[in-house]
Amino acid sequence: MTAPLLSAPPAKCVLLAFNVSNQLAVRAAGTRLDHAFVGADEAVALARLRACFPVATPPAEHFTSTTGGPACRVFFTQVQGPPADGEVVFRTLDELQALQATLTPALAAVLDQLEPHLIEIPYLHLGENDYIYKFRVERDRNRDIYQQDDAARALYQSRLCEAIKALARTNERSATGPARLDFGAVRYVIPSHFGFCLGVKNAIERAYETLAENPGKRVFMLSELIHNPFVNEDLLRRGLRFLQTDKSQPFDTRGQVAAPGGGAPLLWDTLTGEDIVIIPAFGATDEDKKRLVRKGIRVAQFDATCMLVEKVWKAARTFGREGYTVVIHGKSEHEETKATFSNTRRHAPSIIIRDLDEARLLGDYIAVPTGEKRQALLARFAGLHTPGLDPARHLDRIAVVNQTTLLMNETSAIIDYFKSVFVAKYGEAEGPAHVGGAGKKDTLCYATQVNQDALQRALAEPLDAAFILGGKNSSNTYQLYRLCEQKLAQRAFFIQSEANIRSRDQIEHYVFPAAGHGKGGHTEIHPLWPRDDTPKRVLITGGASCPDGLIQQVVTRINSFFPPSQLHGIEAVLAALPALKT
């Protein structure tokens, strides 16, 4: 007779309770640290949690631990307030790692399995369709930060720009015709949409508010808040510090990029739970967020990731669940693309492509796969795809998302190209289903797109020159410059401020490193209007991280090249603006 099979005992439940600083609640019993909330089932563990923390998010099960003793189901929750139980204390994950010898085997076993789940801890209070921080509606904007002193007013305030926006920007998402400013000897054509997008406004306002609300605390930015040196320099002047460069190179305590074997400690290594670290609008990689979680830093509270960037992440997650491999159209060295890739790889096989030419490398394999092409593809995209990517399996169904600062028509062309490849391979009936979201293109940033649309309308005007303002590492500004260059060639100038306009004959034009990471950009001196003092029509626009004050300073600088007798005053120009509406 066969002996009856013995069923395994039900797994006990462990509730890991984290506070907003991502510190874990543990039970200190003598010299040992153990789980704070354990029960034979979920209800028992939850009752013990609620007796200690009346306010907590609903527990969510994350994994089952089968090491260090009997199996246990592990749940996460985020709690508020101090513990009601005197034996329960909060410790950072780094502190618990350092106290390894004092941990019970059961606690040590669970902590050893936390690594893949660390990124979820700061956001336990959010549903997966919630955004970390939604854009403020206009009435809730904090405009006071732009007027707190003369430096801020000069950088951020512009009567001209405010008037232009009131005149021409009838809808945040829709471009209209440009505004025309008639100063007499020089006339300016300004697109209806230029400068700060809502994501940048949100990030800037939160950074200044954080500095003002936390006197005496160290406030860091993970890397540059936005790609504008003047904004970043103003924040540094007010006490903000950067942990790393936009290329993820860490700074040391002297404020210098850390060199191999350098003597000074890294700023990263000095962080404590009392410090504040703001995540910039581009987002952050999972690896960087995990480092902050381990140190007990309040990640979610100071996460200024643009919700349109996060929209891309949510789309990628959905594509992954539907069985697609995610193709990220972006620059692999850009912070946003790195963050998107890091986030996406948790949900789907992923690969980064730079442009349509690289899309064609994938398409060539998809159309006619061979072993030789497979090896060449993996070598070409080494470091730009998820581990274990198998072109034979993972490139049969793909979905494209993008770096939000690129040109929409280029992402659209890539999607359309892949669609044509699969239609050619599988036919009109089946082919389109192999490209996820092919008809929606819904990860494109409307703010980036409307700036481009408005610029295209302005470029239809007769023009003598165009000045495009933005940081040297601003991808969206470079895309605006490309549009101007297509029409005006060397009469289009990529500049950072009015200081780059040396004279009417010499412009410091920045050549963007479009060839890729490691190539570097450089400045060239280009002529403007040598030996030509006839009246001019000039287009001026700014990237999504360009403050309004810089736009007006460029107008002032160009006006200075003409005799005052030939110029109208700003009051007269402003008074005439309503009559210019079209």
Side-chain angles (χ1 to χ4, degrees):
M1 184 174 177
T2 303
L5 294 175
L6 297 177
S7 60
K12 65 180 181 179
C13 293
V14 172
L15 275 178
L16 299 185
F18 298 91
N19 62 16
V20 294
S21 295
N22 306 303
Q23 298 170 319
L24 176 64
V26 294
R27 186 169 299 279
T31 60
R32 305 285 282 173
L33 296 175
D34 198 359
H35 289 301
F37 309 108
V38 181
D41 56 36
E42 187 178 348
V44 173
L46 184 57
R48 291 171 177 168
L49 171 77
R50 287 177 173 162
C52 189
F53 295 104
V55 181
T57 62
E61 187 168 1
H62 279 70
F63 63 93
T64 298
S65 174
T66 57
T67 59
C72 61
R73 297 165 61 200
V74 180
F75 296 74
F76 291 1
T77 182
Q78 188 180 92
V79 297
Q80 295 183 26
D85 186 334
E87 288 188 352
V88 174
V89 295
F90 284 110
R91 293 287 182 268
T92 71
L93 297 178
D94 274 357
E95 288 172 340
L96 291 173
Q97 179 66 34
L99 296 170
Q100 188 77 20
T102 71
L103 308 183
T104 63
L107 177 58
V110 168
L111 294 180
D112 283 345
Q113 297 172 70
L114 272 185
E115 178 64 26
H117 309 279
L118 291 181
I119 189 62
E120 301 168 56
I121 293 172
Y123 309 106
L124 292 171
H125 61 297
L126 298 176
E128 65 174 23
N129 294 319
D130 294 328
Y131 286 91
I132 298 168
Y133 195 92
K134 288 189 175 181
F135 295 151
R136 288 170 168 161
V137 296
E138 195 64 22
R139 66 175 178 272
D140 293 334
R141 294 268 317 283
N142 182 3
R143 293 178 181 79
D144 290 344
I145 64 99
Y146 304 111
Q147 304 177 40
Q148 52 189 308
D149 54 33
D150 289 343
R153 283 189 287 271
L155 182 59
Y156 296 112
Q157 299 296 299
S158 165
R159 293 174 63 201
L160 277 177
C161 292
E162 286 298 316
I164 291 167
K165 290 173 185 177
L167 167 70
R169 193 173 298 186
T170 56
N171 187 299
E172 193 66 37
R173 294 172 181 250
S174 300
T176 59
R180 302 169 188 88
L181 309 179
D182 185 358
F183 278 86
V186 58
R187 298 182 180 188
Y188 297 95
V189 177
I190 313 293
S192 64
H193 290 67
F194 59 88
F196 284 170
C197 62
L198 290 177
V200 166
K201 292 175 185 175
N202 174 71
I204 289 175
E205 290 170 18
R206 294 184 70 189
Y208 281 97
E209 288 167 352
T210 300
L211 285 168
E213 293 167 359
N214 293 276
K217 286 200 170 188
R218 298 198 306 172
V219 179
F220 297 91
M221 187 71 67
L222 185 62
S223 60
E224 290 184 350
L225 175 70
I226 58 174
H227 285 160
N228 188 282
F230 303 99
V231 172
N232 291 320
E233 287 165 10
D234 190 65
L235 286 165
L236 288 172
R237 183 174 63 82
R238 299 174 192 276
L240 189 80
R241 302 176 76 182
F242 296 135
L243 288 177
Q244 58 194 27
T245 70
D246 62 337
K247 299 297 184 287
S248 302
Q249 300 167 293
F251 287 111
D252 62 26
T253 52
R254 298 169 300 189
Q256 300 175 359
V257 175
L266 303 181
L267 281 175
W268 266 107
D269 296 335
T270 71
L271 291 178
T272 74
E274 294 300 308
D275 296 322
I276 293 170
V277 178
I278 302 171
I279 293 174
F282 315 108
T285 64
D286 286 359
E287 292 71 27
D288 282 341
K289 286 184 177 179
K290 287 177 180 180
R291 292 176 74 181
L292 297 175
V293 168
R294 293 189 198 98
K295 291 178 177 293
I297 302 291
R298 288 171 286 171
V299 173
Q301 184 177 350
F302 300 104
D303 189 339
T305 301
C306 174
M307 65 181 291
L308 297 180
V309 172
E310 198 181 349
K311 180 183 177 183
V312 174
W313 301 352
K314 293 180 186 302
R317 181 191 65 209
T318 299
F319 288 139
R321 288 176 177 172
E322 294 172 351
Y324 291 100
T325 290
V326 175
V327 176
I328 302 168
H329 172 214
K331 301 174 182 178
S332 60
E333 70 275 12
H334 194 283
E335 302 104 305
E336 182 190 323
T337 296
K338 287 189 285 189
T340 295
F341 178 67
S342 178
N343 189 284
T344 300
R345 64 186 296 174
R346 284 189 274 129
H347 308 290
S350 312
I351 186 168
I352 301 171
I353 62 170
R354 195 174 193 89
D355 50 30
L356 183 58
D357 287 341
E358 292 194 348
R360 289 192 175 105
L361 297 177
L362 302 188
D364 183 53
Y365 174 85
I366 292 167
V368 185
T370 66
E372 183 179 358
K373 288 181 182 179
R374 178 184 184 278
Q375 293 304 316
L377 199 67
L378 292 175
R380 174 64 183 79
F381 292 96
L384 302 177
H385 62 75
T386 46
L389 183 83
D390 180 0
R393 291 189 300 119
H394 294 137
L395 294 184
D396 189 54
R397 298 180 78 235
I398 63 174
V400 179
V401 301
N402 76 327
Q403 178 183 317
T404 61
T405 56
L406 300 180
L407 291 175
M408 185 189 77
N409 59 359
E410 294 187 352
T411 300
S412 299
I414 288 170
I415 294 172
D416 292 340
Y417 166 72
F418 281 129
K419 187 175 180 179
S420 70
V421 169
F422 283 106
V423 166
K425 184 170 184 176
Y426 293 108
E428 289 284 353
E430 295 184 23
H434 288 258
V435 183
K440 293 185 287 186
K441 307 180 178 76
D442 61 355
T443 67
L444 298 167
C445 169
Y446 71 79
T448 298
Q449 183 56 39
V450 75
N451 278 7
Q452 295 170 8
D453 291 343
L455 178 58
Q456 291 278 30
R457 297 189 67 160
L459 285 169
E461 303 269 327
L463 298 166
D464 296 297
F467 292 88
I468 305 91
L469 281 85
K472 292 181 178 180
N473 50 353
S474 173
S475 178
N476 79 86
T477 305
Y478 174 63
Q479 306 308 325
L480 297 177
Y481 165 73
R482 286 177 63 196
L483 294 175
C484 293
E485 183 191 31
Q486 289 168 13
K487 175 171 181 179
L488 296 167
Q490 289 212 342
R491 290 181 293 140
F493 305 96
F494 185 163
I495 63 173
Q496 287 68 64
S497 75
E498 82 288 349
N500 298 124
I501 305 175
R502 289 187 182 179
S503 68
R504 61 184 303 125
D505 296 336
Q506 292 188 327
I507 307 297
E508 295 176 354
H509 166 70
Y510 182 67
V511 180
F512 196 81
H517 181 52
K519 301 294 184 182
H522 63 279
T523 298
E524 297 177 349
I525 304 300
H526 286 190
L528 179 54
W529 302 310
R531 298 177 299 281
D532 181 359
D533 57 2
T534 59
K536 302 300 178 187
R537 289 176 61 88
V538 179
L539 184 150
I540 302 177
T541 191
S545 53
C546 176
D548 285 355
L550 296 184
I551 300 285
Q552 183 155 336
Q553 289 163 27
V554 167
V555 170
T556 302
R557 177 64 173 159
I558 295 174
N559 283 353
S560 71
F561 298 148
F562 296 87
S565 61
Q566 297 179 15
L567 294 170
H568 303 317
I570 189 171
E571 297 299 337
V573 173
L574 289 173
L577 270 178
L580 297 175
K581 190 170 182 179
T582 59

